[in-house]
Amino acid sequence: MEIKRLKFSQRSLEEMESISNYILNKWSQKSKDKFLSLLFENLKRISENPYLFSASTNKKNLFKCVVSKHTSIFYLIKEDDVLIVSVFDNRQNPNKTKDL
């Protein structure tokens, strides 16, 4: 299977930064590094096999990868690449995912 290039929405970049900063401020650099490692591991898996994770029932080509019980990645599969739409903090109101 062809490896897809990842692209990131502005929203996803802001969410990654926000979550990383929260972890750093609440816990430690080690916790932040662990989170980022897990996040990048899953981004690599998405790039290598985008259909591996569950598809959304709300929007065509929208998929969800659960990184941890606190974080999920939402992404759209395009012809040549994968667009990371959101790195969602699962502790938020789930209705916020309806506008993805």
Side-chain angles (χ1 to χ4, degrees):
M1 180 171 277
E2 178 185 342
I3 294 177
K4 297 243 184 210
R5 181 179 52 191
L6 297 180
K7 292 186 174 182
F8 295 85
S9 70
Q10 186 62 38
R11 174 184 177 153
S12 70
L13 294 173
E14 290 168 2
E15 290 168 336
M16 281 190 284
E17 184 176 1
S18 175
I19 293 168
S20 295
N21 288 336
Y22 175 80
I23 292 170
L24 178 61
N25 292 328
K26 184 80 173 171
W27 289 286
S28 67
Q29 182 67 44
K30 185 176 179 179
S31 295
K32 176 185 171 182
D33 292 345
K34 185 177 178 181
F35 163 74
L36 290 173
S37 177
L38 190 59
L39 180 69
F40 292 140
E41 178 182 309
N42 279 283
L43 288 169
K44 181 179 180 204
R45 291 171 66 199
I46 291 169
S47 173
E48 292 171 346
N49 188 359
Y51 294 98
L52 180 64
F53 301 100
S54 59
S56 170
T57 55
N58 298 335
K59 190 171 184 179
K60 187 177 179 176
N61 293 332
L62 183 69
F63 289 77
K64 177 182 179 182
C65 166
V66 177
V67 176
S68 71
K69 67 181 181 178
H70 300 298
T71 311
S72 295
I73 300 169
F74 288 90
Y75 60 96
L76 292 169
I77 300 174
K78 307 276 188 160
E79 189 173 319
D80 296 325
D81 50 39
V82 173
L83 175 63
I84 307 301
V85 177
S86 177
V87 178
F88 190 75
D89 184 337
N90 295 329
R91 295 168 289 184
Q92 293 183 65
N93 183 343
N95 289 331
K96 287 186 175 182
T97 62
K98 290 182 181 176
D99 66 341
L100 297 178

